[in-house]
């Protein structure tokens, strides 16, 4: 018998395809907005928004300010669970994507940081997106289809 490759079905099978881009968000209780660098998710264009038009800036940890350059509306699939979610991220000169706990809670979600397991729980469906701890941060990997309509969004 020869060696055969058997690909898993569903979202996991698609992840190796160039039709998906990955974002690794740091889930941040100190971030007032969900933000990411402009070169994250190149298949989605940055759109001007009210904040960028008003000249909104964000103060970062060292006290300097960075301008809002617009936003990207993302259709995402959570890494382990395969839940479809829409995320709006503000675009600015940050070093990594940050998912705002404040914005998550304001949208009706619960965020739990615990030694027994950390997660984001949807306030409506009660679905849990599990977080992993990495380098002192809690991380959420999300997959973005380059063609959202093909992924059922």
């Amino acid at each position: 018998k020869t060696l055969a490759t058997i690909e898993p079905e569903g979202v996991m099978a698609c992840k190796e395809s160039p039709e998906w881009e990955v974002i690794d968000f740091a889930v941040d209780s100190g971030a007032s907005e969900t933000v990411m660098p402009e070169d994250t998710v190149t298949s989605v264009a940055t759109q001007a928004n009210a904040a960028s038009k008003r000249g909104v800036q964000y103060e970062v940890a060292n006290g300097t300010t960075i301008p809002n350059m617009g936003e990207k509306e993302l259709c995402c699939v959570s890494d382990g669970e395969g839940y479809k979610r829409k995320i709006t991220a503000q675009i600015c000169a940050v070093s990594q994507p940050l998912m705002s706990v404040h914005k998550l809670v304001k949208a009706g979600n619960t965020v739990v940081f615990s030694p027994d397991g950390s997660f984001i729980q949807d306030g409506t469906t009660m679905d849990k997106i599990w977080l992993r701890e990495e380098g002192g941060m809690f991380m959420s990997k999300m997959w973005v289809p380059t063609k959202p309509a093909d992924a059922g969004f």
Side-chain angles (χ1 to χ4, degrees), residues 9-104:
E9 293 183 23
V11 173
M12 297 301 286
C14 298
K15 289 181 184 175
E16 300 304 320
S17 162
E19 297 167 4
W20 294 83
E21 293 184 76
V22 67
I23 307 173
D24 211 8
F25 281 104
V27 180
D28 191 344
S29 63
S32 60
E33 288 284 351
T34 295
V35 296
M36 64 185 194
E38 187 164 22
D39 63 355
T40 307
V41 188
T42 57
S43 63
V44 178
T46 300
Q47 301 294 321
N49 61 4
S52 64
K53 291 175 184 176
R54 284 193 325 267
V56 168
Q57 296 190 27
Y58 304 111
E59 184 177 350
V60 297
N62 69 4
T64 61
T65 57
I66 54 175
N68 177 308
M69 298 184 295
E71 67 186 18
K72 291 186 181 190
E73 291 188 11
L74 310 170
C75 298
C76 303
V77 177
S78 62
D79 186 54
E81 306 81 13
Y83 297 133
K84 292 179 181 179
R85 297 293 183 260
K86 291 196 178 186
I87 298 173
T88 300
Q90 302 306 303
I91 304 304
C92 56
V94 290
S95 60
Q96 73 180 63
L98 303 174
M99 187 178 292
S100 168
V101 170
H102 169 76
K103 290 292 184 180
L104 288 165

